[in-house]
Amino acid sequence: MAPEQASMLSQHAFFKGLAPEVIDLVASCAQEIEFSAGQYICHEDDQADQFYVLLQGHVALQISSPGRGARTFLTVGAGEVFGVNWLVAPYRWTYDAKALDDTKAVVLNAVCLRHKCEADHDLGFELMKRVMPILIERLHICRIQLLDLYLKQN
Amino acid sequence: MSIIAIHKCSPTDTLDMQQMVPKLARVKSYFSDAPDVSTLEVEMADGVPVNYAPGQFNMLTVFGVGEAAISISGAPNGARLIHTIRDVGAVSHALTRLKPGDLLGLRGPFGIGWPIRAAHSKDVLIVAGGLGLAPLRSVLYHILAHRVKFGVVTLLYGARQPEDILYQSEIAYWRESCEINVALTVDHADVKWPGRVGVVTQLIDQAKFDPQNTLAMVCGPEVMMRFAAAALVEREIDAENIFLSMERNMKCAIGHCGHCQFGPNFLCRDGPVLSYEKLRPLLKVKEL
Ligand SMILES: Cc1cc2nc3c(=O)[nH]c(=O)nc-3n(C[C@H](O)[C@H](O)[C@H](O)COP(=O)(O)OP(=O)(O)OC[C@H]3O[C@@H](n4cnc5c(N)ncnc54)[C@H](O)[C@@H]3O)c2cc1C
Ligand code: FES
């Protein structure tokens, strides 16, 4: 067990309301991690074996395109998570993530977490219930961004 | 006996006529906010100050081109008459090309603005998207001039991209002054932008206020306002304490022609600011 990580996770919005024994299960896959401003946390197409629970700082999620360079499509901050790619095969990052300022997170080992979810479907379902609203919200954000609401109509 | 009824002018007709005639104004100063957005400070040629409330608008005329409804974005004490204009068509283009000393026509102020009095002693949440910050800047000026009358004041502002953020130096100043909380986001950005990327409704999720004692004022594109209002209701602010500034084409601006009709409301006369409680059912009607 990892009591420090368990305490950090239990205070995070993503894990709010989760029973202590379930938190302990998750915490056994967890490790605290820090990134300095400007540091890349992951790169597109790398193996997505981490799920990040942000405690402090901000992270920019970016995609690069030839001629336009990198564009940030979303930023996430303390109280949020990123890296839900850990749930869906082939478990690869679909963007680059870069710390915008000094950032603290709990990183969950996705291989460990996937095994635990396979072994305990209640845990898997609890995590799914928390991941789904985030995916739906991000899909909604993406739709609004695509509408380009502030562009003049002519 | 004659069957032709002769209409005699009543005092109200005379008043309406006066409101239909533009007065002469002159551009005092000009500032380019963004590639297609300019801010004009104007003064009345007769020197008589125009008193207005935050959220009201004027009809500005470029002679030989036409007239457009433009919100007043200055401090509501009548001293400075400021308009921020985005070049979207013939009239707005001509307005953004005016330079200090140029003459223009001005009718107004018109409409019912933001419910400032109702916000006294409450937390105030100001949610702006794009050019929607212009009519809300008057509110911010008013609040800053009477800061003790309000609780926690938060500005949440979303723009298309960093270059389109209005009033950048003022926003930086408000941030530093700590008199109000400020959170910004843009829809898209390159890697040079150190701030948030996402939509303004995400900022609502993170804002700190007491939902039972908060008044929210929202202005921006209609889709943005719909989702922002829904997010505010989700955060347990009553629909009657959420106010939106609506936009429809204006012609007379005094409740006669019906161009600005939105359901049972003429927005020039009954709005442009209305409560979400009133607007909610109307916003569901497509093409209204
Ligand atoms: C109460 C009220 C307050 C307003 N306040 C401001 C303000 O502070 N600053 C400001 O710049 N504008 C404001 N507007 C909008 C402004 O009145 C219109 O942009 C203007 O009338 C357009 O006239 P035009 O001749 O330039 O363009 P038009 O020839 O009438 O339109 C040209 C094109 O622009 C599009 N268009 C028209 N209006 C808008 C709009 N609001 N946003 C995006 N695209 C549009 C049209 O669909 C058309 O495709 C306000 C409108 C209302 C009703
Ligand atoms: S613009 Fe004529 S009724 Fe409103």
Side-chain angles (χ1 to χ4, degrees), chain B residues 27 65 130 287:
Chain B
V27 177
V65 184
E287 304 297 339

Side-chain angles (χ1 to χ4, degrees), chain B residues 249-261 266-269:
Chain B
N249 275 345
M250 304 263 170
K251 287 285 175 215
C252 71
I254 52 171
H256 281 328
C257 71
H259 267 87
C260 65
Q261 187 166 3
F266 281 1
L267 290 178
C268 67
R269 184 193 59 197

